[in-house]
Each structure stands twice: as structure tokens, then as C-alpha cells.
DNA sequence: GGTTGCATGTAAATGGTTACATGATTGT
DNA sequence: ACAATCATGTAACCATTTACATGCAACC
């Protein structure tokens, strides 16, 4: 799924500007499954218009650049439907936090603790973002999507809260001398 | 975290060849948090050696290319420790499956059902990969890492199994005429 | 007076994937 | 006979991120 398809998906939910699309990936429904930057959204929208998959309506605004509101076209809908029926690529996850946790014994414990605090907060924030969505009139599969997110983030937050105490027995690398060396070899 | 740091992490766990490192990200401990390809691993290992963060021992093998076994150096350990203490970048997730699920009403139901079957299997497979790891002599934080993975994937699999029936009420786009149009607008 | 939010865009740089190139061994 | 596993590597390609460029309004 490239940026173009992602934008089509958001436009399928309703007309939007590039700025608004970014917000959907930042604080909206899709914030926990994809991230994007302006540098990918704006070019994607231009290509969508070029290819006839979206149209753009310029809304003049006083004292601001024109707001360009994009709408999906029938061809766009067809393209989205086709993309959705492709074999999905496996999830691509890159989690610095999890990597650090795996090697947490190489890191000062207070630092690790702080990271865990932050991660729990992030789970809670994400949960709040999901709950903020008014899913009442969503399709059944979109509700399944939202519920899955809720389930996973709740489970993760609870697990960390309930199990972080396991770190207490662990020595911090600054507590001793031959730090990393003690673990491998 | 770039490919170099990821390789350092694996080497910290024990000496390995490029091929073996890839397996760690494919079927090993880190399979659910990062993915890599040979095209990123081999150049990364070369740079690690150039920078003195790893050393390479060529093990001649009969009838096969020399196996190049890499070992982390003290400088490499220091570099890894430093990288682990950087502020972690937010998780970067790209999930085609979740995106498709969000727009599942645009896809024929049998197709969606198949995807869900596959996803449950993938969760189960990942769980099996995690359980296959012998975590007994892992550090506390590595065990927390493994436990978090177990928790999250278990919760996800169970959620999908228990709630997929919600899709039953949903009409498939092939069931009716104006398909996508019914949802937006 | 500084930061945040609104609003769009481009260009360079980064980084990674995909595809190619090679080849023996082992299992089906 | 064919596929998979072992084993390494390069180069072209691709997408995305980052940084830059601009500027007003509202809030603190």
C-alpha cells in the first residue's frame, strides 16, 4: 500500500485536504497503523488527480493559502477496491522501543523505566484516540478493526503495568563493572 | 535504528553470519518487530567491520562460499549501548491487513474471511516462534519483551476468533449495486 | 515575543527492497 | 526433476523522510 492508496482510503471516508489527511494518520482512525508525512501526501494527491482518481477543489481562504479539498472519483473508488483485493504485504513493523527492551540489560534501569512509562502512556493515548472515533455508523469490518486495536493496546498496556516489576531484580549496566560483557559470552 | 544497529544487536546475542542474522529477523526472536533483507544486512555488516564495531572470521566451507562469521567488538558493544540510549523513534507500523479491514466493506466477504483466517494463523505462527525461544536464561527485560509479544499476539488472535462473526451482518460489495457509494456521502 | 496550528509545496538525501548473479546440497 | 536451504553479494530502483521555503492567526 503506497501513499496514493492510503490517501484514497481516507478520501473514501470523506473529502479532505492534504493537511487533514495527515491528521487522520496522526491523530485519527489510522494513526496506529500507518504514518505519513507531507512529503509523501502532497505528491500522492497530485498523482491521484493526474490519474483521475481524485478531483481537487480549491477553496480560497482569506489570508491563507488556498485550501485544496480532494474528493475521490468513481475511478478512484474502483482503484481503491482493486488495491484492497491485492494480497496484503505482511505487516512491516519497526519498533525501536521493543528492540531496546530486548536489550534492556544494556541500558541504565532508570532510563528503561522512563521508556516504559512513556510507552504505557502512548498505549493509553492511542486507546483514547481510538475511543474518540464515533464508530457507531461504521461498517462491521471497520468496527472489527477498531475493536482489534482496542484489544491489542489494552492488553499491551496492562501487561506492562502488571509485569514491569520483573525488572526489579535486574542489574543495571552502571551497577557493575564489565557491563555488556557479562551478558554475552 | 538502522540496519547496522539491528545487526549489532543480534551479534550481541552471539556470533553470526549474515545469513543467520537474517533468520533471526525472519523466524527468530526479533521476527515480529523488524524485517530486513540481505540487501540491507550485508552492506551493514561490511560497514560494521570498516568501523571496527565487528570483526569477521571467514570459515572456509567445502563446496560453499566461505561462511563469514561476525563477532561484535568492545567498540561495537559501546556503540550498541549508545544507540539503545537514544530516544526511540515512534513505532513505524504499516499494516496492509488492518487497512483492508478498515475498508472491509469494499471487499467481497469471502476474501475478507480468508484474510482473517490467514491473519489468525499468522498470529499463531508468531506465537509459536516466540515460544520456541528458550527465554530461561534471558535478562528480565528480554523476558518482558517476550511476554509482551506473547500477550499482544494472543489477545489479537483471540479477539479475531471471538468477534469475526460480527461480519456476518455485513453486506458484501458484490451483493448489491451501488457498492462503495452507499458508505461515503 | 514565542509557540502552536493552519496550509501548501519541493528537493535532496536516506535507506531499504527487489532483482539479479552464482552455485552446491539435500530432500521430495 | 524440482524446490528448498545454505551462502554471499551488488546495483538499480523506489519510496519516504527530512529539511527547506513561506506566511498568517491565535494563544500564552
Amino acid at each position: 500500500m503506497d501513499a496514493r492508496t492510503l490517501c484514497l482510503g481516507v478520501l473514501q471516508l470523506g473529502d479532505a485536504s492534504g493537511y487533514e489527511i495527515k491528521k487522520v494518520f496522526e491523530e485519527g482512525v489510522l494513526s496506529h497503523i500507518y504514518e505519513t508525512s507531507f512529503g509523501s501526501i502532497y505528491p500522492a494527491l497530485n498523482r491521484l488527480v493526474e490519474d483521475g482518481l481524485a478531483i481537487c477543489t480549491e477553496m480560497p481562504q482569506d489570508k491563507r493559502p488556498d485550501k485544496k479539498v480532494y474528493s475521490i472519483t468513481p475511478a478512484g473508488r474502483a482503484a481503491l477496491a482493486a488495491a484492497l483485493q491485492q494480497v496484503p504485504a505482511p505487516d512491516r513493523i519497526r519498533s525501536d522501543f521493543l528492540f531496546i527492551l530486548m536489550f534492556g540489560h544494556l541500558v541504565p534501569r532508570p532510563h528503561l523505566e522512563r521508556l516504559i512509562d512513556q510507552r504505557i502512556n502512548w498505549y493509553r493515548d492511542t486507546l483514547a484516540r481510538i475511543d474518540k472515533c464515533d464508530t457507531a455508523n461504521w461498517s462491521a469490518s471497520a468496527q472489527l478493526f477498531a475493536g482489534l486495536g482496542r484489544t491489542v493496546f489494552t492488553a499491551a498496556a496492562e501487561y506492562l503495568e502488571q509485569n514491569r516489576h520483573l525488572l526489579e531484580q535486574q542489574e543495571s549496566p552502571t551497577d557493575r563493572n564489565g557491563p555488556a560483557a557479562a551478558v554475552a559470552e
Side-chain angles (χ1 to χ4, degrees), chain A residues 95-145:
Chain A
S95 176
D96 282 7
F97 169 78
L98 258 11
F99 184 78
I100 293 172
L101 190 58
M102 175 66 203
F103 297 98
H105 49 98
L106 303 179
V107 150
R109 180 127 39 83
H111 184 247
L112 235 199
E113 295 282 355
R114 220 175 309 126
L115 290 181
I116 291 174
D117 289 338
Q118 286 165 10
R119 162 105 340 191
I120 292 170
N121 287 335
W122 176 71
Y123 286 139
R124 298 275 171 225
D125 291 346
T126 306
L127 243 11
R129 282 201 303 273
I130 294 174
D131 286 330
K132 217 181 55 196
C133 299
D134 181 27
T135 56
N137 44 17
W138 281 13
S139 70
S141 52
Q143 291 190 26
L144 200 63
F145 162 81

Side-chain angles (χ1 to χ4, degrees), chain A residues 1-183:
Chain A
M1 302 269 167
D2 55 14
R4 287 203 299 292
T5 310
L6 298 181
C7 288
L8 275 183
V10 177
L11 292 180
Q12 158 72 26
L13 266 19
D15 296 350
S17 67
Y19 192 86
E20 288 160 351
I21 288 175
K22 182 160 189 253
K23 281 210 299 188
V24 173
F25 289 107
E26 225 165 49
E27 9 181 293
V29 224
L30 298 169
S31 62
H32 56 293
I33 57 161
Y34 275 108
E35 259 165 62
T36 45
S37 56
F38 289 129
S40 63
I41 290 174
Y42 286 125
L45 287 170
N46 287 331
R47 278 213 41 193
L48 248 25
V49 172
E50 268 176 49
D51 298 347
L53 306 181
I55 51 166
C56 172
T57 316
E58 291 197 36
M59 315 276 266
Q61 299 189 122
D62 33 300
K63 312 283 181 145
R64 284 217 187 134
D66 289 1
K67 188 172 180 174
K68 295 187 173 180
V69 176
Y70 295 85
S71 317
I72 193 167
T73 63
R77 274 186 240 281
L80 177 60
L84 293 171
Q85 284 172 69
Q86 297 292 309
V87 177
D91 286 20
R92 181 172 267 94
I93 300 172
R94 324 214 82 201
S95 176
D96 282 7
F97 169 78
L98 258 11
F99 184 78
I100 293 172
L101 190 58
M102 175 66 203
F103 297 98
H105 49 98
L106 303 179
V107 150
R109 180 127 39 83
H111 184 247
L112 235 199
E113 295 282 355
R114 220 175 309 126
L115 290 181
I116 291 174
D117 289 338
Q118 286 165 10
R119 162 105 340 191
I120 292 170
N121 287 335
W122 176 71
Y123 286 139
R124 298 275 171 225
D125 291 346
T126 306
L127 243 11
R129 282 201 303 273
I130 294 174
D131 286 330
K132 217 181 55 196
C133 299
D134 181 27
T135 56
N137 44 17
W138 281 13
S139 70
S141 52
Q143 291 190 26
L144 200 63
F145 162 81
L148 180 55
R150 240 178 256 123
T151 302
V152 163
F153 285 97
T154 303
E158 281 172 7
Y159 176 82
L160 279 188
E161 276 162 2
Q162 287 161 21
N163 295 93
R164 61 184 304 173
H165 67 85
L166 294 174
L167 292 183
E168 275 158 34
Q169 291 104 336
Q170 189 172 303
E171 288 168 75
S172 207
T174 46
D175 296 351
R176 48 149 69 230
N177 267 11
V183 181

